[in-house]
CSV table of all heavy atoms in Angstrom, one decimal:
chain,number,residue,atom,x,y,z
Y,151,THR,N,4.8,-5.0,-11.0
Y,151,THR,CA,4.8,-6.2,-11.8
Y,151,THR,C,5.5,-7.3,-11.0
Y,151,THR,O,6.5,-7.1,-10.4
Y,151,THR,CB,5.5,-6.0,-13.2
Y,151,THR,OG1,4.8,-5.1,-13.9
Y,151,THR,CG2,5.7,-7.3,-13.9
Y,152,VAL,N,5.0,-8.6,-11.0
Y,152,VAL,CA,5.5,-9.7,-10.3
Y,152,VAL,C,5.9,-10.7,-11.3
Y,152,VAL,O,5.1,-11.2,-12.1
Y,152,VAL,CB,4.6,-10.2,-9.2
Y,152,VAL,CG1,5.1,-11.4,-8.5
Y,152,VAL,CG2,4.2,-9.2,-8.2
Y,153,THR,N,7.2,-11.2,-11.3
Y,153,THR,CA,7.7,-12.1,-12.3
Y,153,THR,C,8.3,-13.3,-11.5
Y,153,THR,O,9.1,-13.1,-10.6
Y,153,THR,CB,8.7,-11.5,-13.1
Y,153,THR,OG1,8.2,-10.3,-13.7
Y,153,THR,CG2,9.2,-12.4,-14.3
Y,154,ALA,N,8.0,-14.5,-12.0
Y,154,ALA,CA,8.7,-15.7,-11.4
Y,154,ALA,C,10.1,-15.8,-11.7
Y,154,ALA,O,10.5,-15.6,-12.9
Y,154,ALA,CB,8.0,-17.0,-11.9
Y,155,MET,N,11.0,-16.0,-10.7
Y,155,MET,CA,12.4,-16.1,-10.9
Y,155,MET,C,12.9,-17.5,-11.1
Y,155,MET,O,14.0,-17.7,-11.5
Y,155,MET,CB,13.1,-15.5,-9.7
Y,155,MET,CG,12.8,-14.1,-9.4
Y,155,MET,SD,13.8,-13.4,-8.0
Y,155,MET,CE,15.4,-13.6,-8.6
Y,156,MET,N,12.0,-18.4,-10.9
Y,156,MET,CA,12.2,-19.9,-11.1
Y,156,MET,C,10.9,-20.6,-11.2
Y,156,MET,O,9.9,-19.9,-11.1
Y,156,MET,CB,13.0,-20.4,-9.8
Y,156,MET,CG,12.3,-20.2,-8.5
Y,156,MET,SD,13.2,-20.5,-7.0
Y,156,MET,CE,13.6,-22.2,-7.2
Y,157,GLU,N,10.9,-21.9,-11.4
Y,157,GLU,CA,9.6,-22.5,-11.5
Y,157,GLU,C,8.9,-22.4,-10.2
Y,157,GLU,O,9.4,-22.7,-9.1
Y,157,GLU,CB,9.8,-24.0,-11.8
Y,157,GLU,CG,10.3,-24.2,-13.3
Y,157,GLU,CD,10.3,-25.7,-13.6
Y,157,GLU,OE1,10.0,-26.5,-12.8
Y,157,GLU,OE2,10.7,-26.0,-14.8
Y,158,SER,N,7.7,-21.9,-10.2
Y,158,SER,CA,6.9,-21.6,-9.0
Y,158,SER,C,5.5,-22.0,-9.1
Y,158,SER,O,4.9,-22.1,-10.1
Y,158,SER,CB,7.0,-20.0,-8.7
Y,158,SER,OG,8.3,-19.6,-8.7
Y,159,VAL,N,4.9,-22.3,-7.9
Y,159,VAL,CA,3.5,-22.7,-7.8
Y,159,VAL,C,2.9,-21.6,-6.9
Y,159,VAL,O,3.3,-21.4,-5.7
Y,159,VAL,CB,3.3,-24.0,-7.1
Y,159,VAL,CG1,1.8,-24.3,-7.0
Y,159,VAL,CG2,4.0,-25.1,-8.0
Y,160,ILE,N,1.9,-20.9,-7.5
Y,160,ILE,CA,1.3,-19.7,-6.8
Y,160,ILE,C,-0.2,-19.9,-6.8
Y,160,ILE,O,-0.8,-20.3,-7.7
Y,160,ILE,CB,1.7,-18.4,-7.5
Y,160,ILE,CG1,3.2,-18.2,-7.5
Y,160,ILE,CG2,1.0,-17.2,-6.9
Y,160,ILE,CD1,3.8,-17.1,-8.3
Y,161,VAL,N,-0.8,-19.6,-5.6
Y,161,VAL,CA,-2.2,-19.7,-5.4
Y,161,VAL,C,-2.9,-18.3,-5.6
Y,161,VAL,O,-2.4,-17.4,-4.9
Y,161,VAL,CB,-2.5,-20.3,-4.0
Y,161,VAL,CG1,-4.0,-20.4,-3.8
Y,161,VAL,CG2,-1.9,-21.7,-3.9
Y,162,ARG,N,-3.9,-18.3,-6.4
Y,162,ARG,CA,-4.6,-17.0,-6.6
Y,162,ARG,C,-5.9,-17.1,-5.7
Y,162,ARG,O,-6.7,-18.1,-5.8
Y,162,ARG,CB,-5.0,-16.9,-8.0
Y,162,ARG,CG,-5.9,-15.6,-8.3
Y,162,ARG,CD,-6.5,-15.6,-9.7
Y,162,ARG,NE,-7.5,-14.6,-9.9
Y,162,ARG,CZ,-7.2,-13.4,-10.4
Y,162,ARG,NH1,-5.9,-13.1,-10.7
Y,162,ARG,NH2,-8.1,-12.5,-10.5
Y,163,LEU,N,-6.1,-16.1,-4.8
Y,163,LEU,CA,-7.2,-16.1,-3.9
Y,163,LEU,C,-8.0,-14.9,-4.2
Y,163,LEU,O,-7.6,-13.7,-4.1
Y,163,LEU,CB,-6.7,-16.0,-2.4
Y,163,LEU,CG,-5.9,-17.2,-1.9
Y,163,LEU,CD1,-5.1,-16.8,-0.8
Y,163,LEU,CD2,-6.9,-18.3,-1.5
Y,164,GLU,N,-9.2,-15.1,-4.7
Y,164,GLU,CA,-10.1,-14.0,-5.1
Y,164,GLU,C,-10.4,-13.1,-3.9
Y,164,GLU,O,-10.4,-13.6,-2.8
Y,164,GLU,CB,-11.4,-14.5,-5.7
Y,164,GLU,CG,-11.3,-15.3,-7.0
Y,164,GLU,CD,-10.7,-14.4,-8.1
Y,164,GLU,OE1,-11.0,-13.2,-8.1
Y,164,GLU,OE2,-10.1,-15.0,-9.0
Y,165,LYS,N,-10.5,-11.8,-4.2
Y,165,LYS,CA,-10.7,-10.9,-3.1
Y,165,LYS,C,-11.8,-11.2,-2.1
Y,165,LYS,O,-11.7,-11.2,-0.9
Y,165,LYS,CB,-10.9,-9.4,-3.7
Y,165,LYS,CG,-11.1,-8.4,-2.6
Y,165,LYS,CD,-11.3,-7.0,-3.3
Y,165,LYS,CE,-11.6,-5.9,-2.2
Y,165,LYS,NZ,-11.8,-4.6,-2.9
Y,166,ALA,N,-13.0,-11.6,-2.7
Y,166,ALA,CA,-14.1,-11.9,-1.9
Y,166,ALA,C,-13.9,-13.2,-1.0
Y,166,ALA,O,-14.3,-13.2,0.2
Y,166,ALA,CB,-15.3,-12.2,-2.8
Y,167,ALA,N,-13.1,-14.1,-1.5
Y,167,ALA,CA,-12.8,-15.3,-0.7
Y,167,ALA,C,-11.9,-15.0,0.4
Y,167,ALA,O,-12.2,-15.5,1.6
Y,167,ALA,CB,-12.2,-16.4,-1.6
Y,168,ILE,N,-10.9,-14.2,0.2
Y,168,ILE,CA,-10.0,-13.9,1.3
Y,168,ILE,C,-10.6,-13.0,2.3
Y,168,ILE,O,-10.3,-13.1,3.6
Y,168,ILE,CB,-8.6,-13.4,0.8
Y,168,ILE,CG1,-7.5,-13.5,1.9
Y,168,ILE,CG2,-8.7,-12.0,0.3
Y,168,ILE,CD1,-6.1,-13.3,1.4
Y,169,VAL,N,-11.4,-12.0,1.9
Y,169,VAL,CA,-12.1,-11.2,2.8
Y,169,VAL,C,-13.1,-12.0,3.7
Y,169,VAL,O,-13.1,-11.8,4.9
Y,169,VAL,CB,-13.0,-10.1,2.1
Y,169,VAL,CG1,-13.9,-9.4,3.1
Y,169,VAL,CG2,-12.0,-9.1,1.5
Y,170,ARG,N,-13.7,-13.0,3.1
Y,170,ARG,CA,-14.6,-13.8,3.9
Y,170,ARG,C,-13.9,-14.6,5.0
Y,170,ARG,O,-14.3,-14.7,6.1
Y,170,ARG,CB,-15.4,-14.8,3.0
Y,170,ARG,CG,-16.4,-15.7,3.7
Y,170,ARG,CD,-17.3,-16.4,2.7
Y,170,ARG,NE,-16.5,-17.4,1.9
Y,170,ARG,CZ,-16.2,-17.2,0.6
Y,170,ARG,NH1,-16.6,-16.1,-0.1
Y,170,ARG,NH2,-15.5,-18.1,-0.1
Y,171,VAL,N,-12.8,-15.2,4.6
Y,171,VAL,CA,-12.1,-16.1,5.5
Y,171,VAL,C,-11.4,-15.3,6.6
Y,171,VAL,O,-11.2,-15.7,7.8
Y,171,VAL,CB,-11.1,-17.0,4.8
Y,171,VAL,CG1,-9.8,-16.3,4.4
Y,171,VAL,CG2,-10.7,-18.2,5.6
Y,172,ILE,N,-10.9,-14.0,6.3
Y,172,ILE,CA,-10.4,-13.1,7.3
Y,172,ILE,C,-11.4,-12.8,8.4
Y,172,ILE,O,-11.2,-12.8,9.6
Y,172,ILE,CB,-9.9,-11.9,6.7
Y,172,ILE,CG1,-8.5,-12.1,5.9
Y,172,ILE,CG2,-9.6,-10.8,7.7
Y,172,ILE,CD1,-8.0,-10.9,5.1
Y,173,ARG,N,-12.7,-12.6,7.9
Y,173,ARG,CA,-13.8,-12.3,8.9
Y,173,ARG,C,-14.2,-13.5,9.7
Y,173,ARG,O,-14.6,-13.3,10.8
Y,173,ARG,CB,-14.9,-11.7,8.1
Y,173,ARG,CG,-14.7,-10.3,7.5
Y,173,ARG,CD,-15.8,-9.9,6.6
Y,173,ARG,NE,-15.7,-8.5,6.1
Y,173,ARG,CZ,-16.4,-8.0,5.1
Y,173,ARG,NH1,-17.4,-8.7,4.6
Y,173,ARG,NH2,-16.2,-6.8,4.7
Y,174,GLN,N,-14.2,-14.7,9.1
Y,174,GLN,CA,-14.8,-15.8,9.7
Y,174,GLN,C,-13.8,-16.7,10.4
Y,174,GLN,O,-14.2,-17.5,11.3
Y,174,GLN,CB,-15.5,-16.6,8.6
Y,174,GLN,CG,-16.7,-15.9,8.0
Y,174,GLN,CD,-17.4,-16.7,6.9
Y,174,GLN,OE1,-16.9,-17.8,6.5
Y,174,GLN,NE2,-18.5,-16.2,6.4
Y,175,GLN,N,-12.5,-16.7,10.1
Y,175,GLN,CA,-11.6,-17.6,10.7
Y,175,GLN,C,-10.4,-16.9,11.4
Y,175,GLN,O,-9.5,-16.4,10.7
Y,175,GLN,CB,-11.0,-18.5,9.6
Y,175,GLN,CG,-12.1,-19.3,8.8
Y,175,GLN,CD,-12.7,-20.3,9.7
Y,175,GLN,OE1,-12.3,-20.7,10.8
Y,175,GLN,NE2,-13.9,-20.9,9.2
């Protein structure tokens, strides 16, 4: 479980999107 310890801004990257960019960039 991951819990924010303070006010945080977090980016969610869908699995398909990050797999694609790992392969292409």
Side-chain angles (χ1 to χ4, degrees):
T151 295
V152 178
T153 307
M155 299 182 66
M156 57 192 298
E157 290 187 359
S158 304
V159 178
I160 298 173
V161 178
R162 176 188 172 95
L163 296 157
E164 296 297 332
K165 180 179 176 181
I168 197 167
V169 167
R170 182 172 65 253
V171 78
I172 286 173
R173 290 173 177 171
Q174 296 177 354
Q175 301 294 345

